[in-house]
Amino acid sequence: MSEDPRWLSVLLSGPNANRWKLVRDTVSQVLPQEEGLRIYVTADEFDRAREEFPADRYEVAEWRLRDGALEFSEPLSIERNNFLLYGLPAFPDDLLEGLAKAYRRGQFEIGRVITQVQCGWCAHVEEAKGWFDGCIHFSDLVLLDSRPEVEDLWVRDYQEHYRKLRFPCHFDLVRKGLPKHPLWVFDSQPRRMSLIFDPDELSGASEAEYEIEGDEPDDDEEVESLGDPFLRRNAAGERERKVRPLPFSLDGPAESQK
């Protein structure tokens, strides 16, 4: 870890319009009034993010993937918390792979990876169930949102499913846009099932066993997160474990929930 580490937290929500309020209310509860966030969104979300986050407390910038490499329009802040929001319908496998590569190059330290589950979607839409299941695999914290759309028994069974599978992530309930334990959002203790942000020998990203003595290391060679089942590729370059996108447009179906 560097002397002045830049920390980056990640929120995976899909096009759930509740994500804006969730971030604002959590910040209001946890951070002092003079502190804010530097928030990174895609170009598709940028204008909406500028509307949702007051400039006196939030800085909004863009993140993008270029040839698999993660790039930021503004450098990560040392003074502020950095938060990357993912609100697109596509499964964020490319983003997660890009995050893992950037992390291993020492560009930042990973804070919490958080999944905001839209319970109504997850209970009634098959693609959503698989989408959130994939995101939870990478997450330290799972926020169960939009719970009035489902029965209490569904919420209990949903959590119990992952407990039986021994998922280490925390589950928390969202009420009126605010998690029950908002401090968990800014904790940095890893509790994820995936090992892509763990040491190379655990993550499967290390290629040390294939090195030939006397070979010079190639600094330009891409680091691959081959050990994770959601990120592995077959001989054709396709994901071995594909996750279908959410069948919703950006912020479209959730506007009435705000």
Side-chain angles (χ1 to χ4, degrees), residues 112-130:
R112 279 277 155 99
V113 179
I114 304 160
T115 291
Q116 180 185 9
V117 174
Q118 211 283 5
C119 291
W121 296 353
C122 195
H124 305 299
V125 180
E126 190 63 29
E127 293 93 338
K129 182 179 179 181

Side-chain angles (χ1 to χ4, degrees), residues 144-161:
L144 299 178
D145 186 24
S146 306
R147 289 182 295 112
E149 299 181 19
V150 296
E151 299 292 333
D152 290 344
L153 179 60
W154 184 93
V155 176
R156 291 196 294 271
D157 289 346
Y158 190 75
Q159 295 178 81
E160 186 62 22
H161 167 73

